[in-house]
Amino acid sequence: MLLDVERLQIGFGAFSPVDDVTFGIDRGEILGVVGESGSGKSLSATAIMGLLPRIGARISSGRMTFDGIDLVGLPEKRMRRLRGGKIALITQNPMTSLDPMIRVGPQIDQSSRLHLKVDRKAARARSLALMADMQIPNPAVVYDLYPFQLSGGMKQRIVIAMALAGEPQLLIADEPTTALDVTVQAQIIKILVDLVKQRGLALILITHDMGIVAHACDRVAVMYCGRIIESGAVERIFENPRHPYTKALIRCIPRLGMVRGSLSAIPGTVPNAAAYPTGCRFRPRCPVAVVRCQTEIPKLHGDCEGHGTACHLVTAA
Ligand code: SF4
């Protein structure tokens, strides 16, 4: 595995918003990490990027290795070399990554110059090539524009080009299309999928949208209240979802020809880490909870085909 995360627990004050999370990803693979807001998916990405201290959180236990390097406790100086280089992050809002006062081309150059130590001319040539790969029309013209002169979709393409400029092996895209309209969303997802297949990158695609997972990912880890509650190959999980939460998420995917008003929603909300219920954290929203669910946290159990589920009813079956 290129990245191995094993029994990760993240501490935030007295609470553990991410608990006992295990997953891995290899080159050429797309792993969807899916869940509602507050499920711990972005926090897990923040841990991989070594950015937890910036938000006052810490890794309380567990292991994370990237290409054989132990990420837990890696000195910040070494982590800085990996971040933006071998491991790159694409965020939901392109303006988190872009400087509004600098033309977009030189912002891509900076990444090549910092991580690959190329000179100004070579960096510019790389940036133009990357912009063309991102299907940006007239790269030489766009190179000299400021972020405010570009649409949301174009800005996100620039951010992806910046992420690629450091020649990453692992790309983490955190809700990369949420702020975009549906047509542009599809274009950006296609660019990301093509990148993985053509360059052999590993992509962790964080999303709340099971439709995107079905369309783009090879494997999926469904998170709820800081824990993975179901994981496995995308086809298997969509053919045979076992956890009540995964089933509910799949029912929420809009489909062509649906009668207006027939779209499902999951009743209730995700509690914050200070108010997690005892036992199974999905219990207050679960339509099939039994007495055991009140006291015992279900563990993730996998079958021989790597389809894991954390639900007392599935384990008992
Ligand atoms: S463990 Fe119990 S509460 Fe949790 S999902 Fe399964 S049945 Fe529902």
Side-chain angles (χ1 to χ4, degrees):
M1 284 280 167
L2 178 66
L3 174 76
D4 247 318
V5 176
E6 215 179 299
R7 306 209 64 185
L8 177 70
Q9 186 184 54
I10 296 175
F12 202 96
F15 307 109
S16 297
V18 167
D19 191 17
D20 203 12
V21 162
T22 295
F23 64 86
I25 184 167
D26 224 332
R27 293 174 175 85
E29 240 190 344
I30 305 179
L31 171 70
V33 178
V34 69
E36 291 166 278
S37 164
S39 61
K41 50 197 195 316
S42 295
L43 206 52
S44 303
T46 307
I48 297 165
M49 295 300 292
L51 293 171
L52 287 179
R54 293 195 192 173
I55 55 166
R58 68 192 185 285
I59 293 174
S60 339
S61 62
R63 291 179 61 237
M64 288 193 299
T65 52
F66 170 76
D67 205 16
I69 302 166
D70 182 4
L71 294 181
V72 179
L74 191 70
E76 175 56 21
K77 199 171 165 194
R78 285 193 63 199
M79 191 66 225
R80 221 179 298 138
R81 278 207 296 273
L82 281 182
R83 194 164 50 228
K86 299 278 179 236
I87 308 177
L89 177 69
I90 299 164
T91 55
Q92 176 180 338
N93 179 0
M95 289 316 291
T96 317
S97 310
L98 291 170
D99 186 329
M101 308 301 286
I102 300 178
R103 295 173 201 274
V104 293
Q107 296 197 52
I108 307 173
D109 296 358
Q110 277 173 12
S111 194
S112 299
R113 299 194 67 192
L114 180 68
H115 294 288
L116 305 184
K117 309 290 178 215
V118 296
D119 65 22
R120 196 179 292 264
K121 199 172 157 201
R124 181 187 162 92
R126 288 196 82 241
S127 299
L128 291 173
L130 284 167
M131 289 164 79
D133 289 349
M134 293 306 105
Q135 295 157 27
I136 293 172
N138 300 320
V141 174
V142 176
Y143 182 95
D144 285 320
L145 298 180
Y146 288 94
F148 76 87
Q149 294 175 290
L150 299 176
S151 67
M154 278 298 153
K155 283 199 273 272
Q156 198 58 299
R157 285 166 204 243
I158 295 290
V159 169
I160 298 172
M162 277 168 69
L164 292 175
E167 294 198 337
Q169 295 173 14
L170 171 65
L171 212 50
I172 302 175
D174 190 356
E175 303 272 8
T177 60
T178 304
L180 306 172
D181 72 46
V182 178
T183 317
V184 182
Q185 268 187 21
Q187 291 166 356
I188 297 288
I189 294 294
K190 181 167 185 329
I191 286 173
L192 289 171
V193 171
D194 289 349
L195 281 174
V196 171
K197 303 305 167 198
Q198 288 159 10
R199 297 176 184 235
L201 302 178
L203 171 65
I204 298 178
L205 185 55
I206 295 173
T207 178
H208 63 277
D209 186 338
M210 277 299 244
I212 289 180
V213 171
H215 177 69
C217 299
D218 303 305
R219 288 187 301 115
V220 59
V222 182
M223 289 191 74
Y224 188 79
C225 284
R227 299 176 74 95
I228 293 178
I229 53 90
E230 187 153 13
S231 64
V234 164
E235 307 91 75
R236 278 188 58 94
I237 291 203
F238 276 80
E239 266 167 37
N240 181 25
R242 293 171 178 164
H243 195 285
Y245 181 58
T246 313
K247 290 179 187 177
L249 283 178
I250 291 174
R251 278 197 300 272
C252 292
I253 302 174
R255 289 181 180 81
L256 270 180
M258 255 182 155
V259 179
R260 204 180 166 85
S262 65
L263 193 62
S264 288
I266 307 173
T269 52
V270 181
N272 68 42
Y276 285 162
T278 57
C280 175
R281 293 174 181 175
F282 187 58
R283 176 174 49 85
R285 301 171 78 185
C286 181
V288 291
V290 293
V291 175
R292 184 182 175 196
C293 308
Q294 292 176 15
T295 50
E296 213 177 304
I297 296 180
K299 295 230 168 0
L300 193 71
H301 290 287
D303 65 13
C304 57
E305 297 193 40
H307 183 167
T309 318
C311 171
H312 294 311
L313 297 188
V314 175
T315 313

